C-alpha cells in the first residue's frame, strides 16, 4: 500500500463534504509505494487518473508519477506520469528516461482554485490525455512496442521519484489531490466521461460518500 513520507495533510474537499483531499507536498512530503513487480506496465494497457486543485500555475509539478531509475543514479527510468506545467496538465511516457517520449499537453490553465480531473491512458501504443472528462489529444510513435516501468519504478503521488536514493523526490505539487488511481487497463472515452460526471458531485459542499453501519446487506 501507499506509505506516507514526511507529513501529508488531510482536509475535506469542500465544506461539510466527506471526501478527503491530501496536500502539503514537498520533496520530503508525499505518498509513495515501493517498487512492486505486480504494477509493472510492460507493453500492455494502463491508465492513471487523479483529481487536483491549485491556484499556482508558474512551475513544473507532479500530480501522479510511476517511474524511477536505479538508486544512486540520476535516471528517470521508464516513466508514465501526469505532470502540471505552468498551470497546464501534461501526460508523459518514455521507455528510455526521456531520451524519446510520447506526451500530450492540455495547453489550458486549470490553476483556478477549483477541482479538476486528469486522466492519462495507454491504449496499445497510443497515449491519450483527458481533462474533466473531455478528450484532449493523443500521441504515438516514440515509445512504440517498448515496455514501460521496471524493477525500480515507484508510484509517487504529489511528487516524483528520481534514482538518487530511496525516499528522494522532486517537483512536488503545490495544491490538493484526491481519488488517485492507477491500473493496467485502458478505460474508454465514454467510461472516463462517466467517471468524471459521477465523481464531480463528491466535491460539492456537504456531499456524502460513506455507507455507515455494520450489516453487509
Amino acid at each position: 500500500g501507499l506509505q506516507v513520507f514526511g507529513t501529508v495533510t488531510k482536509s475535506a474537499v469542500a465544506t461539510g463534504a466527506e471526501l478527503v483531499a491530501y496536500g502539503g507536498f514537498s520533496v520530503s512530503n508525499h505518498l509513495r509505494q515501493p517498487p512492486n513487480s505486480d504494477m509493472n506496465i510492460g507493453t500492455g494497457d494502463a491508465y492513471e487518473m487523479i483529481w487536483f486543485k491549485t491556484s499556482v500555475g508558474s512551475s513544473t509539478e507532479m500530480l501522479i508519477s510511476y517511474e524511477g531509475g536505479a538508486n544512486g543514479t540520476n535516471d528517470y527510468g521508464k516513466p508514465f506520469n501526469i505532470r502540471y506545467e505552468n498551470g497546464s496538465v501534461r501526460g508523459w511516457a518514455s521507455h528510455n528516461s526521456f531520451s524519446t517520449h510520447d506526451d500530450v499537453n492540455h495547453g489550458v490553465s486549470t490553476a483556478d482554485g477549483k477541482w479538476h480531473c486528469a486522466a492519462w491512458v495507454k491504449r496499445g501504443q497510443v497515449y491519450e490525455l483527458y481533462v474533466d472528462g473531455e478528450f484532449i489529444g493523443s500521441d504515438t510513435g516514440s515509445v512504440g512496442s517498448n515496455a514501460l516501468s521496471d524493477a525500480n519504478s515507484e508510484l509517487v503521488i504529489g511528487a516524483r521519484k528520481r534514482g538518487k536514493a530511496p525516499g528522494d523526490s522532486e517537483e512536488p505539487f503545490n495544491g490538493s489531490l484526491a481519488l488517485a488511481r492507477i491500473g493496467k487497463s485502458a478505460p474508454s472515452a465514454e467510461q472516463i466521461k462517466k467517471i468524471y460526471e459521477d465523481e464531480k458531485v463528491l466535491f460539492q459542499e456537504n456531499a456524502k460518500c460513506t455507507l455507515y453501519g455494520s450489516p453487509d446487506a
Side-chain angles (χ1 to χ4, degrees):
L2 285 172
Q3 300 175 6
V4 178
F5 277 65
T7 301
V8 176
T9 61
K10 296 191 295 183
S11 58
V13 297
T15 302
E18 290 185 336
L19 182 64
V20 170
Y22 295 83
F25 300 107
S26 71
V27 293
S28 56
N29 299 335
H30 50 268
L31 300 168
R32 187 183 199 125
Q33 185 188 50
N36 176 358
S37 60
D38 289 337
M39 290 181 62
N40 286 359
I41 296 169
T43 59
D45 293 343
Y47 78 95
E48 295 171 333
M49 187 177 295
I50 194 166
W51 286 80
F52 64 94
K53 181 178 75 169
T54 185
S55 298
V56 179
S58 58
S59 59
T60 300
E61 308 166 5
M62 192 64 68
L63 299 178
I64 179 171
S65 165
Y66 188 52
E67 68 184 328
N71 291 331
T73 73
N74 286 323
D75 189 5
Y76 284 109
K78 302 180 179 182
F80 184 65
N81 299 331
I82 304 177
R83 194 156 67 176
Y84 204 58
E85 300 179 5
N86 297 317
S88 178
V89 173
R90 191 167 188 171
W92 289 92
S94 175
H95 64 285
N96 53 17
S97 193
F98 293 107
S99 293
T100 59
H101 53 79
D102 288 302
D103 71 286
V104 179
N105 187 2
H106 184 201
V108 177
S109 177
T110 46
D112 53 10
K114 300 177 181 179
W115 282 105
H116 297 278
C117 180
W120 181 230
V121 178
K122 179 184 185 296
R123 195 182 312 280
Q125 297 182 22
V126 180
Y127 295 85
E128 303 169 350
L129 180 66
Y130 298 79
V131 176
D132 293 342
E134 300 296 329
F135 175 71
I136 303 304
S138 64
D139 193 17
T140 185
S142 294
V143 175
S145 61
N146 294 286
L148 292 182
S149 63
D150 57 25
N152 298 303
S153 296
E154 293 188 24
L155 176 66
V156 183
I157 296 173
R160 75 185 306 183
K161 177 195 176 184
R162 195 171 188 177
K164 296 182 181 177
D168 277 0
S169 70
E170 55 188 40
E171 297 181 14
F173 182 64
N174 191 347
S176 299
L177 300 171
L179 296 180
R181 72 211 79 172
I182 184 172
K184 291 195 282 188
S185 64
S188 67
E190 293 76 15
Q191 288 174 315
I192 292 173
K193 178 69 171 177
K194 177 171 171 52
I195 290 170
Y196 168 73
E197 295 293 342
D198 287 349
E199 292 180 352
K200 70 180 183 180
V201 297
L202 298 175
F203 293 84
Q204 298 175 356
E205 290 188 3
N206 302 312
K208 308 304 177 187
C209 64
T210 307
L211 295 175
Y212 293 99
S214 55
D216 58 5

